[in-house]
Amino acid sequence: MRKISLFIATSLDGYIAKPNDDLSFLKLVEKEGEDYGYEQFTDTIDTLIIGRKTYDYVIKEIGSSHYDNGQRDVYVITRTQRPSVGRTTFYIGSLTNLVKQLKSENGKNIYCDGGAEVINELLKNDLIDEFIISIIPVLLGNGTRLFKDGRPEQLLEFVTAKTFETGLIQLHYKRKKP
């Protein structure tokens, strides 16, 4: 069975965006030639799930090929019906049903890139198998929290921790099976 992995960055105080969905703090750790394992990670996936607000921000800042590179299926979780573009589907159905269906199919792993609503819906339904969380050395004080209240407790098993010259620390955990 395929697994779903969260690969995301957060501030030290747990925010994945500043107010108004501002992700500019991620630029604090940009370094020529350093992708923090992103390319190696994306080689293991062939499907991506992302919330519409995160998708729109990345499309504006980087471009559509960042997600839909012709090599993977992209599901943008949204409330507004839109036609598919390339291998990108704007999905308005049940996120839980989508993930259960995708996990049961053959293929590489599934990547969840956020946003917070998508992540927390997956956590409520115990659907995230692996957590790769990069901690950016900044305290934002306000914004969109990575983990919201009201989800079940989930035990994790430590895999690795990596440190980088920029001060970024990357934590890798997998869900501990009972």
Side-chain angles (χ1 to χ4, degrees):
M1 182 178 278
R2 300 162 79 187
K3 68 181 175 184
I4 186 163
S5 301
L6 176 64
F7 189 106
I8 199 162
T10 181
S11 65
L12 182 58
D13 53 351
Y15 295 99
I16 58 171
K18 291 164 54 170
N20 301 313
D21 302 317
D22 180 355
L23 301 176
S24 62
F25 76 100
L26 299 174
K27 291 179 169 66
L28 295 170
V29 293
E30 283 184 356
K31 183 179 174 193
E32 183 78 30
E34 179 60 75
D35 75 350
Y36 301 104
Y38 183 77
E39 187 176 330
Q40 181 181 356
F41 169 75
T42 57
D43 285 345
T44 70
I45 62 113
D46 65 5
T47 305
L48 188 136
I49 295 172
I50 185 165
R52 199 248 335 131
K53 286 190 269 185
T54 305
Y55 174 82
D56 286 348
Y57 180 89
V58 170
I59 296 307
K60 186 179 83 177
E61 293 293 316
I62 300 174
S64 61
S65 64
H66 180 72
Y67 289 129
D68 186 354
N69 63 2
Q71 304 297 309
R72 55 186 169 233
D73 295 319
V74 179
Y75 292 89
V76 180
I77 309 306
T78 183
R79 292 180 182 93
T80 307
Q81 184 76 49
R82 286 168 56 179
S84 296
V85 178
R87 290 182 70 174
T88 300
T89 300
F90 295 89
Y91 186 81
I92 60 170
S94 162
L95 176 59
T96 300
N97 290 345
L98 173 65
V99 169
K100 287 179 178 177
Q101 175 195 326
L102 292 172
K103 281 183 152 191
S104 72
E105 296 172 354
N106 290 328
K108 292 183 175 182
N109 292 323
I110 305 160
Y111 166 26
C112 176
D113 189 28
E117 288 182 46
V118 171
I119 293 165
N120 285 284
E121 181 68 22
L122 293 173
L123 286 170
K124 280 182 189 175
N125 293 287
D126 198 25
L127 292 170
I128 298 178
D129 302 296
E130 176 180 56
F131 300 79
I132 302 166
I133 301 173
S134 295
I135 311 295
I136 309 291
V138 63
L139 298 170
L140 295 179
N142 198 357
T144 303
R145 285 203 146 305
L146 172 56
F147 300 121
K148 297 186 190 257
D149 294 340
R151 62 192 148 61
E153 181 178 309
Q154 296 168 1
L155 294 175
L156 305 177
E157 187 176 318
F158 176 76
V159 179
T160 60
K162 297 178 186 170
T163 59
F164 297 87
E165 286 180 16
T166 58
L168 181 143
I169 297 174
Q170 190 172 78
L171 304 173
H172 184 172
Y173 292 94
K174 63 182 180 180
R175 191 177 66 213
K176 196 171 195 171
K177 307 281 186 192

